[in-house]
Amino acid sequence: EAAAAEVALLTPVPNPFGASARLRFDLATAGPATLRVYDVLGREVARPVDGELAAGRHTVAIDGTGLAAGVYVVRLDADGRTLTQRMTRVR
């Protein structure tokens, strides 16, 4: 897949989510990237990505079965940028 023009964190699908959600993001250049999920108290509840990735579009799945219903923040750190999205877990 072609390299993205810039770093982007797309809206989680579906949102709100039940048992699982897909997180999609684009990287303009290859390099280290970290994708974390935080609860409303700022506690990290998942880290589906932590390492070197190629440029382009990436998709990771989040298993929501162990998460309480509520709002979560997804944070992408890559290429010197930090991007966030909100997602909501429903039962």
Side-chain angles (χ1 to χ4, degrees), residues 25-66:
F25 59 97
D26 296 335
L27 299 179
T29 59
T34 305
L35 188 69
R36 297 180 178 101
V37 180
Y38 295 94
D39 65 14
V40 291
L41 299 177
R43 296 177 298 207
E44 184 179 308
V45 297
R47 189 184 299 193
V49 174
D50 188 4
E52 296 285 325
L53 292 179
R57 165 97 16 117
H58 299 272
T59 302
V60 296
I62 294 292
D63 179 5
T65 56

Side-chain angles (χ1 to χ4, degrees), residues 9-24 35-40 43-48 60-75 83-90:
L9 177 59
L10 296 115
T11 302
V13 178
N15 193 17
F17 72 102
S20 66
R22 289 186 320 281
L23 304 176
R24 297 169 300 152
L35 188 69
R36 297 180 178 101
V37 180
Y38 295 94
D39 65 14
V40 291
R43 296 177 298 207
E44 184 179 308
V45 297
R47 189 184 299 193
V60 296
I62 294 292
D63 179 5
T65 56
L67 300 177
V71 175
Y72 292 85
V73 174
V74 180
R75 175 179 162 161
L83 303 173
T84 60
Q85 285 280 356
R86 290 177 60 180
M87 66 181 190
T88 304
R89 165 81 161 103
V90 293

